Amino acid sequence: MKKIVLREDQMPTSWYNVVPDIPGGLQPPLDPETLQPMGPEKLAAVFPMALLEQEMSQERFIEIPQEVMEVYKIWRPSPLVRANKLEEALGTKAKIFFKNEGVSPVGSHKPNSAVPQAYYNKREGVKRLTTETGAGQWGSALALATSKFGLECKVYMVRVSYDQKPYRKFIMQAYGGEVVASPSMDTKTGREILARDPNTPGALGMAISEALEDASSRDDTNYALGSVLNHVVLHQSIIGLEAKKQMEIAGEYPDVVIGCCGGGSNFAGLIAPFVPDYLDGKKIEFIGYEPASCPSMTGGKLAYDCGDVAMMTPLLYMYTLGHDFVPPGIHAGGLRYHGMAPIISALVRDGIVTPKAVHQMECFEAGILFARTEGIIPAPETTHAIRGAIIEAMKDPNEPKTILFNFSGTGLIDMPSYDNYLSGKLSDYAYPQEQIDAALARLPKVG
């Protein structure tokens, strides 16, 4: 069987919240001004209360609203696919499966959270949402979601991706979203950054600051975040919940579960429903692959840090490279973030998740092999997961292990990246440790 597709009536009706099952628990977010634990009251200025309740929930299962389910059905359940042609090309006895989240209307996993975020904001009377986007996948997803619920949407898109990925911008505009390159002249934060460095490539931390400033300045506007936060991971758990059912139908159980890691939501969403099995003694590995040019888990530090350059977000306890870290303009724009989701960070801390770093050239090579064997061109971000699956399959080609990875997005809108790779214009880049150390030295002083 090449692929397994669930019926609509087999789709999960609740999200799974992994937080209660993390052995060491999560550290609370801190107020950047007082350094004291932050309650929902202050965050309610830019988030709807329903999402804040999910952010801090200790309930293992949270029901998916029917209105959200109806939008999900446009593309969910998503297929689980056996990459048998990739297996043959590698000459491995491993079985490789991938959860194809590239089938969504915007070609990635991001609508899994964008849709409920737009729904809960609409329900609480919000008229407009602001957000940031790196590769453009999240911005596209939120533009889609706001169009479904009649909200306005403004997206601050990291400048290097704005230039590299024009078709993402066009998708957002097609759904009615407004898009500007970040840093921009539309906010005080953007103007200050441009005054210091007019040629900056931008960074997600900068774009978050701009979107937060925008949202804070208008009573009708809230802010939406596409990764990192607990409620985003919660929404993405539908990936893993479906995958578990599909693996059962296939008569398989994964020995290794893999995802690419930027902020961590697609990887967390896939692995979360398998974590209780691990804690019950099931032999299973979780490996998150991040870019060597932005190595928050493998080169950063577990500490309290802000999620943005202007230090407007709460302090989150996470693996970080420093909130003012500016990564190079590699083509996996969705992985250029200085911090890792607190949930993933806690799972790394507790020894449940193993982080690994890979370079962009080996990832693009894996992406081309995948395209030529499985027929699907992956997003540059997704090639990190594919490279990870290949690495795990080839550790011992004669070992009949079962590998599951998240195909987080299609690359059909990222062809300029492939053009640069195929024409020899790309190179590897490992971020200098001294520059990482300098960014880490500017972390907020907590405790």
Side-chain angles (χ1 to χ4, degrees), residues 89-414:
L90 294 174
T92 179
K93 291 184 178 177
K95 296 177 182 176
I96 303 174
F97 292 86
F98 63 95
K99 184 69 167 148
N100 189 358
E101 292 297 300
V103 298
S104 82
V106 296
S108 78
H109 66 289
K110 293 293 188 178
N112 297 332
S113 186
V115 171
Q117 289 195 49
Y119 165 75
Y120 288 120
N121 275 286
K122 174 73 171 182
R123 196 177 71 176
E124 295 188 22
V126 174
K127 306 294 184 187
R128 179 175 175 269
L129 291 178
T130 64
T131 195
E132 76 295 326
T133 194
Q137 291 180 342
W138 169 247
S140 301
L142 193 66
L144 163 69
T146 52
S147 76
K148 299 302 290 183
F149 293 105
L151 301 175
E152 294 179 40
C153 178
K154 181 164 183 179
V155 181
Y156 293 85
M157 186 173 185
V158 175
R159 177 190 280 186
V160 65
S161 288
Y162 185 91
D163 295 334
Q164 288 176 348
K165 304 173 189 290
Y167 292 104
R168 294 280 182 199
K169 175 177 64 176
F170 303 152
I171 289 174
M172 293 178 237
Q173 292 169 335
Y175 285 122
E178 180 186 355
V179 193
V180 294
S182 174
S184 74
M185 296 299 289
D186 292 6
T187 66
K188 180 174 179 288
T189 299
R191 291 189 293 271
E192 289 175 349
I193 293 170
L194 288 171
R196 290 195 302 269
D197 183 5
N199 297 315
T200 178
L204 276 168
M206 297 178 188
I208 291 171
S209 293
E210 289 205 271
L212 276 169
E213 179 186 325
D214 184 332
S216 301
S217 70
R218 290 180 52 164
D219 292 337
D220 65 346
T221 301
N222 268 357
Y223 168 70
L225 185 63
S227 192
V228 178
L229 296 180
N230 299 347
H231 66 266
V232 183
V233 171
L234 170 75
H235 302 152
Q236 295 295 351
S237 69
I238 194 166
I239 302 171
L241 291 166
E242 287 183 4
K244 259 190 120 169
K245 286 187 179 182
Q246 290 162 317
M247 292 295 285
E248 289 172 10
I249 293 170
E252 300 285 347
Y253 191 90
D255 298 297
V256 187
V257 185
I258 292 166
C260 62
C261 288
S265 69
N266 91 85
F267 176 54
L270 178 63
I271 70 170
F274 292 94
V275 168
D277 297 349
Y278 172 91
L279 296 175
D280 286 342
K282 189 80 174 178
K283 194 175 185 325
I284 181 171
E285 290 185 87
F286 306 111
I287 306 177
Y289 279 85
E290 64 183 6
S293 58
C294 195
S296 60
M297 296 182 291
T298 56
K301 180 180 180 182
L302 183 60
Y304 271 109
D305 195 14
C306 279
D308 70 315
V309 169
M311 301 184 70
M312 297 172 67
T313 69
L315 298 180
L316 302 176
Y317 196 65
M318 60 184 177
Y319 278 95
T320 179
L321 294 165
H323 57 274
D324 55 1
F325 173 86
V326 180
I330 60 166
H331 280 266
L335 305 186
R336 289 193 297 251
Y337 186 61
H338 68 272
M340 186 54 55
I343 285 174
I344 294 294
S345 297
L347 294 172
V348 172
R349 175 202 65 197
D350 292 346
I352 296 170
V353 164
T354 300
K356 295 184 180 180
V358 284
H359 289 279
Q360 73 172 352
M361 293 294 283
E362 61 184 305
C363 293
F364 270 99
E365 180 184 8
I368 290 292
L369 177 61
F370 189 84
R372 293 176 181 176
T373 53
E374 294 301 319
I376 307 173
I377 300 173
E381 295 79 13
T382 307
T383 63
H384 291 66
I386 295 169
R387 176 61 183 147
I390 292 171
I391 289 171
E392 299 307 314
M394 299 306 289
K395 278 182 176 177
D396 180 357
N398 293 312
E399 182 184 356
K401 68 170 68 170
T402 299
I403 297 168
L404 170 64
F405 76 88
N406 195 6
F407 188 93
S408 55
T410 176
L412 286 178
I413 311 165
D414 297 300

